Amino acid sequence: MVGKYRVITQCSSTRFKDEFMEVQKWLTLEGNIVINGGLIGHSGDNEVWENMDEGTLTKTKEMLDDMHKRKIDIADAE
Protein backbone atom coordinates (compact mmCIF):
# COMPACT_ATOMS: atom_id res chain seq x y z
CA MET A 1 0.00 0.00 0.00
CA VAL A 2 1.03 3.55 -0.65
CA GLY A 3 -0.91 5.63 1.78
CA LYS A 4 -4.45 4.34 1.49
CA TYR A 5 -4.01 3.07 -2.07
CA ARG A 6 -3.39 -0.54 -3.08
CA VAL A 7 -0.70 -1.05 -5.70
CA ILE A 8 -1.70 -3.42 -8.50
CA THR A 9 0.58 -4.63 -11.27
CA GLN A 10 -1.25 -5.62 -14.45
CA CYS A 11 -0.14 -8.95 -15.87
CA SER A 12 -1.59 -9.92 -19.21
CA SER A 13 -0.66 -10.41 -22.81
CA THR A 14 -0.30 -7.10 -24.60
CA ARG A 15 -2.29 -8.67 -27.44
CA PHE A 16 -5.31 -7.50 -25.46
CA LYS A 17 -4.34 -3.80 -25.44
CA ASP A 18 -7.89 -2.41 -25.44
CA GLU A 19 -9.03 -4.67 -22.61
CA PHE A 20 -5.81 -3.96 -20.72
CA MET A 21 -6.43 -0.20 -20.88
CA GLU A 22 -10.08 -0.61 -19.88
CA VAL A 23 -9.15 -2.61 -16.77
CA GLN A 24 -6.45 -0.08 -15.89
CA LYS A 25 -9.02 2.73 -16.07
CA TRP A 26 -11.50 0.99 -13.76
CA LEU A 27 -8.87 -0.13 -11.26
CA THR A 28 -7.64 3.45 -11.08
CA LEU A 29 -11.15 4.84 -10.59
CA GLU A 30 -11.64 2.34 -7.76
CA GLY A 31 -8.72 4.00 -5.95
CA ASN A 32 -5.78 1.77 -6.88
CA ILE A 33 -2.32 2.67 -8.12
CA VAL A 34 -1.94 0.64 -11.31
CA ILE A 35 1.44 -0.36 -12.71
CA ASN A 36 1.56 -1.75 -16.22
CA GLY A 37 4.23 -2.95 -18.60
CA GLY A 38 5.07 0.42 -20.06
CA LEU A 39 5.33 -0.88 -23.63
CA ILE A 40 2.74 -2.61 -25.77
CA GLY A 41 4.85 -5.13 -27.68
CA HIS A 42 2.18 -7.03 -29.63
CA SER A 43 -0.23 -4.21 -30.36
CA GLY A 44 1.86 -1.10 -30.70
CA ASP A 45 5.14 0.63 -29.87
CA ASN A 46 6.60 -0.82 -33.07
CA GLU A 47 8.93 2.17 -33.40
CA VAL A 48 10.76 0.91 -30.32
CA TRP A 49 11.63 -2.44 -31.89
CA GLU A 50 11.96 -1.79 -35.62
CA ASN A 51 15.51 -0.38 -35.65
CA MET A 52 17.11 -2.61 -33.00
CA ASP A 53 19.76 -5.13 -33.89
CA GLU A 54 19.29 -8.68 -32.55
CA GLY A 55 21.70 -8.23 -29.63
CA THR A 56 20.08 -5.01 -28.44
CA LEU A 57 16.62 -6.48 -28.92
CA THR A 58 17.49 -9.52 -26.80
CA LYS A 59 19.01 -7.40 -24.01
CA THR A 60 16.06 -5.01 -24.04
CA LYS A 61 13.52 -7.83 -23.81
CA GLU A 62 15.47 -9.40 -20.92
CA MET A 63 15.56 -6.03 -19.13
CA LEU A 64 11.82 -5.49 -19.64
CA ASP A 65 11.03 -9.01 -18.37
CA ASP A 66 13.13 -8.40 -15.26
CA MET A 67 11.55 -4.98 -14.70
CA HIS A 68 8.08 -6.52 -14.89
CA LYS A 69 9.05 -9.07 -12.24
CA ARG A 70 10.23 -6.22 -9.99
CA LYS A 71 6.91 -4.42 -10.59
CA ILE A 72 5.16 -7.57 -9.35
CA ASP A 73 7.47 -7.62 -6.32
CA ILE A 74 6.39 -4.13 -5.23
CA ALA A 75 2.68 -4.69 -5.86
CA ASP A 76 0.02 -5.61 -3.32
CA ALA A 77 -1.82 -7.55 -6.03
CA GLU A 78 -1.31 -8.68 -9.62
Side-chain angles (χ1 to χ4, degrees), residues 8-38:
I8 298 174
T9 298
Q10 280 187 289
C11 299
S12 178
S13 171
T14 57
R15 287 182 180 94
F16 306 107
K17 177 182 178 182
D18 294 338
E19 293 86 348
F20 204 75
M21 299 307 289
E22 187 70 17
V23 170
Q24 177 179 328
K25 176 174 57 178
W26 289 109
L27 288 170
T28 300
L29 289 171
E30 289 175 355
N32 299 288
I33 296 170
V34 182
I35 302 170
N36 62 33

Side-chain angles (χ1 to χ4, degrees), residues 55-67:
T56 303
L57 182 63
T58 298
K59 287 179 185 178
T60 302
K61 287 183 176 183
E62 288 172 357
M63 176 193 69
L64 293 171
D65 287 344
D66 185 57
M67 286 174 61

